Amino acid sequence: VFLAIALFQFTFIDLAFAAEVSNGAKIFNANCASCHIGGGNILIAEKTLKKEALSKYLEDYDADSIQAIIYQVQNGKNAMPSYKSKLNEQEILEVAAYVFQKAEQGWQDS
């Protein structure tokens, strides 16, 4: 019984994360892709959304990647605007999950 419950919970979590990533892709394309197409950065070439750059430029990325991305989206920095008045908390979480997943994949289609 405990194994069945554990498997159900992990399956549900994976499905929930997949839904967040799917919605996150739509949010990213509508709000972020104009500057960060393909994980790049059209304004500051070295500040991409690739894992190495996120680790270097986002505070606490290596400790809590999703939260570091959420903070950046909510607060912006330099040329990047804050999105906390444009996106709700769920949308910010979804786009953060998407960016994290794509960074882990090296921004390759999969």
Side-chain angles (χ1 to χ4, degrees), residues 7 10 47 91 97 100:
L7 288 173
F10 286 125
K47 292 191 176 181
E91 291 168 326
F100 173 76

Side-chain angles (χ1 to χ4, degrees), residues 67-77 80-85 87-89 92-93:
Q67 190 56 48
I69 297 168
I70 288 171
Y71 183 86
Q72 183 74 15
V73 173
Q74 286 177 328
N75 297 289
K77 187 174 184 182
M80 181 176 164
S82 165
Y83 282 87
K84 67 181 158 191
S85 64
L87 302 174
N88 65 41
E89 286 183 28
I92 290 172
L93 174 63

Side-chain angles (χ1 to χ4, degrees), residues 17 21 28 49-51 54 61-62 64-67 69 93-107:
F17 186 73
V21 170
F28 181 88
L49 299 181
K50 299 201 169 143
K51 186 175 180 178
L54 293 173
Y61 182 82
D62 295 326
D64 190 347
S65 303
I66 298 288
Q67 190 56 48
I69 297 168
L93 174 63
E94 291 168 354
V95 79
Y98 173 76
V99 168
F100 173 76
Q101 179 195 42
K102 294 301 282 183
E104 288 294 309
Q105 297 171 348
W107 286 87

Side-chain angles (χ1 to χ4, degrees), residues 10-85:
F10 286 125
T11 301
F12 178 74
I13 290 168
D14 288 343
L15 292 174
F17 186 73
E20 287 177 1
V21 170
S22 175
N23 290 336
K26 293 174 190 170
I27 297 164
F28 181 88
N29 289 331
N31 295 279
C32 314
S34 60
C35 290
H36 293 291
I37 190 160
N41 186 326
I42 65 167
L43 298 175
I44 305 169
E46 68 274 6
K47 292 191 176 181
T48 68
L49 299 181
K50 299 201 169 143
K51 186 175 180 178
E52 299 78 23
L54 293 173
S55 179
K56 182 176 181 179
Y57 294 110
L58 295 187
E59 187 174 332
D60 296 328
Y61 182 82
D62 295 326
D64 190 347
S65 303
I66 298 288
Q67 190 56 48
I69 297 168
I70 288 171
Y71 183 86
Q72 183 74 15
V73 173
Q74 286 177 328
N75 297 289
K77 187 174 184 182
N78 300 324
M80 181 176 164
S82 165
Y83 282 87
K84 67 181 158 191
S85 64

